[in-house]
Amino acid sequence: MDVQATVEECLELWRNPYPQLARLREEGERPVAFFCSYTPEEILHAAGLTPVRLMGAVRTITHADAHLQPYCCSLARTDLDMALAGELGFLEGEVFVQTCDTMMRLSDIWRRNAGLSFHGDLVLPIRMGEEISLPFIVEEVRRFRKQVESFIGREIWDDAIEESMHVYNRNRRLAERLYGLRRENPGILDGLSATACLVAGFWMRRDKHNELLHELVEELGKGRISQEERVPLLVSGSVCTMPDLPELLLELGADMVDDDLCCGHRYFDAFADESVSPEEALAKRMWERVNCPAKHQCIEDRAERLMRQVGDCGAKGVVFYLQSFCEPHLFDIPYLRGRLQEELGVPSLVLESELQSFSRGQLRTRLQAFIETIRGV
Amino acid sequence: MSSDGNADARAADKERRRIKSTEAMRDLMVKYYTEAKAAEGTDKHIAWITSGAPVEPLIAFDVIPVYPENHGAMCGAAHMNVELCEAAEARGFSRDLCSYARGDIGSALTKGGPIGGLPRPTFLIACNNICNTVFKWYEELSRFFGVPLFIYDTPFVRGELPAHIADYSLRQMKEYISFLEKTTNKEYDEQHFVEVAAKSLFASGLWAEVLACNQHRPAPMTCFDAFIMMAPIVTLRGTQEVVDFYQGLLAEMRERVEQGIGILPSERYRVLWDNIPVWYELRNLGRLFLELETCLVADTYTSAWTFEDVDPSDPLGSMSKIYAEVYLNINLERMADKIESLAARFDVDGMIMHSNRSCKPYSLGQYDLAKEFTRRTGKPTLVIEADHTDSRWYNRAEVETRIRDFVENLLGGGVGL
């Protein structure tokens, strides 16, 4: 495998996944969109559908303003805009998971206006990780499975879901290995390339992505380690619609050595237990995985986890990369920044992403100043 | 008649229209806040609680409930919330966060606001049936005060209430009781809880009847009055004082209906209001609607505290179902059913929706609801942009012009879009 060529392909996909999604449909696959990392993709996969993730797009809003106010995040606005503009015709449908208030309302708005064949809803509690909520999630996963079954017009067999869980668990193990290799061998692969290879999995069949990751980690074991001195940073937030942030970090002599992102480290956390029933396994995995900030922090304190991660990867600073208007993330910022600074002396920077007025120049200026400050220290 | 005579007649007419229970309400709320403030530092338990959370268990355990949202409304109406928000913003809280939350955090930091801040809580109760903002806000309060937080989690309901949500709710209602037993060192007294729940339901029934008086023409009050009068049902339901107060208010409203006393001297149009009030603008908007001879006869907000379908033999089960299905925790189609029914019952000519920058669950979906409302009723709608307590986001001239246009052109024309 030519690592560089693979990384380039993944980067291209990251910059614009939509032509590839249309191709999937032409090749006979049945893409179904999801937005949230809590989506039980295994059920869709087992049903013969291909879950693909929508993470927004840099674009001017033309249709969505008639349905959504400007004070909600640009992920919701640009995704809906694409759907209403008829640009997502390759999709068979979509799955909404109850995370934040915006997604909860967007689900209804999307269902009423986007006109795709399948609409799935998965309602989740906010009290993840507490005994009291687990039976509820198991039942909710069962209901979700029925929604999918009724759409495809047949039952999804338990063993099919077990096979899909196996595929997704393998994917998680490979992603973990990739992150592990990078942690143990700094310089083996930069954050931009690693994340590109990881997010590429959102836009292809998981089985194919497993092959890609497998070859990548095999190659990395033999590869050359870059000796370049870079300022190690950790990036925390929701999703990176575009690769600009990690790209700019490299340009400015820094690197994203680890992340707390919904399209990164948080996506592949925890495994589905293949020895119990599919509903229990899938429910338990989302219940015990690392929390999204839109969930109540009852399992562990986010600050504790973030500080541990910073310590493990040796980051000298943290960049919070958030969607404007994202309440779950914005609420935690003062607390997280305070603890990072007071307990670890680690500085942080908060950047907000607005896809309809995206400015790479502005992002660059702010990152540059931040990196220079760290270098000065 | 002399000009003095005219002035006297106007004053007499104004006095006749004035809602007399306002004083009783004010006394009740002053007493409540005075007692709550006095309890700070004593062995009395004080719990801060969200407006949609089950308060009945607190009353049954003799805990003083304190409502930051009610306090936020008060700070907003007193034009003091912006400075409190700024105190929170100076600590790094984004201006895009809910202004109730920012103001409350600011007030905790500075002890600012019209009553010098709320009394320190001994614990916190947050229920996300009104939004998911509240549990993030209360997590922050829990860190700030170093006190325990109980989360009563209400997953979103689409269509009929499913059994697994009802089960989860009931399990938490029981857990809530255990949490209170542990925190207050008192034992659960079911008999007492049933009495409290009965009072709460009775008061909410009275409140529903008070609001229903506005079905009459002319309407005896506007929803701006209801916004003020709802404070006791939000904060103190479950107590005898609240039952007494709403009995008094209901008697007054019925008397007004019998005597044909409307809140406005002239009522040409009847309008439905959607969303939380623009607290700092109540007076100005009140004047504008008076001038436009338009009465806001009903709203989706105050009716959130009118409970239906209660089974007295199963108070915990009934309560947990009620709290799971409040207006903001249901899908758009069910919300549309509700506004359609309000429009029919109150015989409105149109609807004004406050697109509230601080409240996503209330505001996102309004454009679709507006269209659906017009489709079902043939009545026009207007969406105005504001924020419930952060006046920096409000453009008075623009909003007032739009309201004028709406009333004069659309309601006057009587033609739906």
Side-chain angles (χ1 to χ4, degrees):
Chain A
M1 179 200 220
D2 178 347
V3 172
Q4 204 44 46
T6 305
V7 166
E8 277 307 321
E9 276 169 38
C10 292
L11 267 172
E12 205 184 309
L13 205 49
W14 193 357
R15 287 197 188 98
N16 186 11
Y18 300 102
Q20 160 73 6
L21 298 186
R23 269 197 301 278
L24 284 181
R25 182 59 182 262
E26 284 159 19
E27 288 163 8
E29 290 196 29
R30 306 177 66 188
V32 168
F34 71 101
F35 307 85
C36 171
S37 61
Y38 281 97
T39 309
E41 290 173 65
E42 292 91 332
I43 292 179
L44 299 168
H45 183 269
L49 306 168
T50 301
V52 295
R53 192 166 185 182
L54 297 188
M55 302 204 298
V58 174
R59 66 190 275 128
T60 309
I61 304 286
T62 50
H63 294 70
D65 281 347
H67 300 272
L68 282 175
Q69 285 91 332
Y71 49 79
C72 72
C73 76
S74 55
L75 294 178
R77 297 176 70 209
T78 58
D79 282 336
L80 181 66
D81 202 60
M82 286 189 284
L84 298 178
E87 294 168 24
L88 303 180
F90 48 78
L91 293 174
E92 293 227 7
E94 65 281 337
V95 174
F96 277 86
V97 176
Q98 183 187 349
T99 39
C100 59
D101 292 330
T102 298
M103 291 312 274
M104 172 183 99
R105 287 283 175 235
L106 182 62
S107 171
D108 286 353
I109 295 171
W110 190 292
R111 171 173 45 77
R112 293 170 61 87
N113 298 285
L116 298 173
S117 320
F118 172 62
H119 183 90
D121 272 307
L122 182 83
V123 174
L124 288 182
I126 56 167
R127 297 179 61 181
M128 299 302 245
E130 292 186 85
E131 285 301 326
I132 196 158
S133 64
L134 190 55
F136 168 77
I137 311 173
V138 173
E139 184 53 33
E140 192 59 24
V141 171
R142 191 167 290 134
R143 277 162 51 105
F144 180 73
R145 176 178 176 172
K146 285 196 186 119
Q147 291 174 45
V148 179
E149 286 175 335
S150 119
F151 170 64
I152 60 168
R154 61 176 168 83
E155 258 182 63
I156 308 170
W157 296 81
D158 275 3
D159 58 353
I161 304 182
E162 280 157 17
E163 272 175 39
S164 296
M165 290 200 298
H166 188 70
V167 170
Y168 276 80
N169 275 342
R170 179 165 178 234
N171 195 257
R172 290 168 193 133
R173 265 192 298 274
L174 287 164
E176 222 169 51
R177 244 180 96 193
L178 176 65
Y179 273 60
L181 277 171
R182 293 186 61 221
R183 203 168 35 242
E184 289 147 23
N185 312 279
I188 197 169
L189 187 71
D190 60 70
L192 172 70
S193 307
T195 311
C197 293
L198 190 72
V199 298
F202 295 142
W203 306 299
M204 63 178 76
R205 198 92 185 140
R206 263 313 136 173
D207 320 59
K208 197 177 158 196
H209 188 237
N210 280 345
E211 298 319 309
L212 187 153
L213 284 186
H214 175 80
E215 286 182 33
L216 179 71
V217 294
E218 289 295 311
E219 279 303 314
L220 285 182
K222 309 173 206 157
R224 187 181 70 85
I225 292 182
S226 155
Q227 297 302 323
E228 227 175 321
E229 276 286 318
R230 294 188 168 278
V231 177
L233 298 175
L234 183 141
V235 178
S236 171
S238 52
V239 297
C240 294
T241 302
M242 300 286 286
D244 295 75
L245 176 73
E247 213 165 56
L248 282 168
L249 292 179
L250 288 181
E251 275 179 42
L252 296 165
D255 189 20
M256 172 167 87
V257 290
D258 194 3
D259 71 77
D260 165 42
L261 291 170
C262 182
C263 60
H265 219 141
R266 286 208 305 275
Y267 172 75
F268 60 82
D269 187 60
F271 298 93
D273 180 352
E274 293 174 40
S275 68
V276 297
S277 81
E279 285 91 356
E280 277 175 82
L282 296 173
K284 191 134 189 256
R285 178 188 168 253
M286 53 182 109
W287 177 78
E288 67 188 9
R289 56 156 269 193
V290 53
N291 264 349
C292 163
K295 300 290 165 208
H296 176 46
Q297 294 182 46
C298 38
I299 317 174
E300 65 173 345
D301 190 293
R302 263 192 92 199
E304 297 287 339
R305 185 183 169 94
L306 193 62
M307 291 195 298
R308 200 169 56 238
Q309 236 182 314
V310 166
D312 288 349
C313 72
K316 297 271 186 289
V318 172
V319 177
F320 290 100
Y321 191 49
L322 317 172
Q323 302 298 323
S324 293
F325 308 108
C326 176
E327 284 207 331
H329 277 279
L330 288 170
F331 260 109
D332 289 345
I333 290 297
Y335 171 64
L336 295 178
R337 296 190 75 189
R339 287 201 59 186
L340 284 169
Q341 187 62 51
E342 283 154 27
E343 293 173 40
L344 301 181
V346 167
S348 57
L349 171 72
V350 181
L351 296 172
E352 287 192 23
S353 157
E354 276 263 33
L355 297 170
Q356 60 280 12
S357 58
F358 181 76
S359 161
R360 189 177 160 106
Q362 210 172 43
L363 203 60
R364 187 191 167 91
T365 312
R366 298 205 52 205
L367 284 170
Q368 190 167 17
F370 181 62
I371 293 166
E372 277 168 12
T373 317
I374 295 176
R375 277 222 187 84
V377 177
Chain B
M1 201 188 275
S2 71
S3 64
D4 276 0
N6 269 336
D8 287 349
R10 270 203 306 274
D13 184 57
K14 207 173 164 190
E15 176 57 23
R16 198 171 73 97
R17 292 183 196 288
R18 194 175 65 80
I19 298 171
K20 316 299 182 288
S21 300
T22 309
E23 279 94 29
M25 199 275 316
R26 198 167 298 143
D27 292 348
L28 189 61
M29 294 310 287
V30 167
K31 178 167 169 277
Y32 157 63
Y33 274 111
T34 311
E35 283 177 4
K37 294 273 284 184
E40 190 168 10
T42 69
D43 56 3
K44 266 273 204 195
H45 288 281
I46 297 172
W48 287 18
I49 179 168
T50 59
S51 66
V55 68
E56 294 77 8
L58 294 185
I59 305 284
F61 276 88
D62 204 20
V63 174
I64 300 177
V66 167
Y67 285 79
E69 289 157 75
N70 178 261
H71 180 239
M74 195 199 291
C75 295
H79 297 259
M80 294 176 90
N81 209 52
V82 170
E83 63 189 75
L84 298 176
C85 286
E86 283 168 350
E89 288 156 20
R91 290 288 184 106
F93 290 95
S94 162
R95 261 181 85 163
D96 293 328
L97 294 170
C98 163
S99 60
Y100 275 166
R102 269 179 291 141
D104 183 47
I105 292 167
S107 166
L109 289 165
T110 61
K111 285 276 167 198
I115 58 166
L118 292 173
R120 192 187 160 83
T122 34
F123 59 91
L124 306 160
I125 307 290
C127 175
N128 57 331
N129 56 357
I130 49 166
C131 62
N132 281 300
T133 300
V134 291
F135 81 86
K136 298 298 292 184
W137 165 10
Y138 277 56
E139 280 176 357
E140 181 59 29
L141 292 175
S142 172
R143 291 190 286 257
F144 181 81
F145 290 111
V147 296
L149 162 63
F150 180 78
I151 298 269
Y152 185 89
D153 182 13
T154 46
F156 195 68
V157 177
R158 285 196 172 79
E160 292 287 301
L161 180 70
H164 65 309
I165 293 189
D167 292 346
Y168 179 43
S169 303
L170 182 59
R171 285 200 301 278
Q172 291 182 93
M173 195 59 97
K174 290 177 179 162
E175 191 195 23
Y176 183 13
I177 301 290
S178 313
F179 170 85
L180 290 176
E181 285 188 313
K182 212 173 88 197
T183 339
T184 63
N185 256 329
K186 281 184 191 159
E187 261 183 54
Y188 174 55
D189 174 351
E190 183 161 74
Q191 188 51 40
H192 186 42
F193 180 76
V194 169
E195 285 164 19
V196 169
K199 278 185 192 143
S200 167
L201 295 167
F202 187 58
S204 96
L206 290 169
W207 176 235
E209 286 186 71
V210 166
L211 295 175
C213 287
N214 258 16
Q215 290 175 25
H216 188 264
R217 274 175 196 268
M221 64 174 181
T222 78
C223 70
F224 285 2
D225 301 304
F227 294 154
I228 308 291
M229 294 296 179
M230 70 184 230
I233 195 71
V234 177
T235 53
L236 287 163
R237 60 183 181 274
T239 65
Q240 186 58 41
E241 293 155 293
V242 168
V243 171
D244 297 343
F245 168 71
Y246 285 107
Q247 274 172 333
L249 180 62
L250 182 59
E252 185 183 357
M253 287 300 138
R254 286 193 168 146
E255 201 181 302
R256 290 170 74 97
V257 167
E258 275 161 29
Q259 296 180 10
I261 304 174
I263 189 75
L264 301 185
S266 162
E267 179 187 297
R268 278 182 74 193
Y269 303 116
R270 296 165 65 85
V271 167
L272 176 65
W273 172 273
D274 180 56
N275 213 311
I276 299 172
V278 186
W279 290 111
Y280 46 87
E281 254 333 81
L282 285 184
R283 195 178 287 264
N284 287 324
L285 287 173
R287 259 190 228 126
L288 177 68
F289 285 115
L290 175 80
E291 183 203 320
L292 295 170
E293 297 168 285
T294 298
C295 189
L296 302 176
V297 289
D299 66 275
T300 53
Y301 185 56
T302 51
S303 55
W305 287 271
T306 56
F307 305 144
E308 291 153 11
D309 301 329
V310 175
D311 174 7
S313 68
D314 178 19
L316 281 184
S318 299
M319 282 279 170
S320 61
K321 281 184 189 149
I322 287 168
Y323 285 103
E325 291 187 276
V326 302
Y327 184 68
L328 292 180
N329 208 39
I330 53 177
N331 57 307
L332 289 180
E333 287 77 7
R334 282 188 69 182
M335 292 171 96
D337 292 345
K338 183 122 186 193
I339 51 176
E340 186 188 2
S341 135
L342 283 173
R345 278 174 54 216
F346 289 85
D347 194 17
V348 302
D349 303 298
M351 172 167 69
I352 295 180
M353 305 182 104
H354 164 204
S355 164
N356 180 356
R357 207 177 184 282
S358 267
C359 190
K360 292 187 181 75
Y362 220 145
S363 306
L364 303 184
Q366 272 177 326
Y367 297 159
D368 282 69
L369 272 181
K371 257 184 256 164
E372 182 66 10
F373 177 80
T374 301
R375 191 185 69 77
R376 293 189 190 188
T377 64
K379 313 279 185 196
T381 58
L382 169 71
V383 180
I384 57 165
E385 296 293 331
D387 181 291
H388 54 220
T389 52
D390 189 343
S391 54
R392 292 171 295 177
W393 298 110
Y394 185 68
N395 183 331
R396 182 181 299 150
E398 189 187 309
V399 169
E400 292 194 352
T401 305
R402 298 197 61 211
I403 291 175
R404 260 177 216 286
D405 282 351
F406 176 71
V407 171
E408 286 164 4
N409 299 326
L410 281 170
L411 298 189
V415 185
L417 287 172

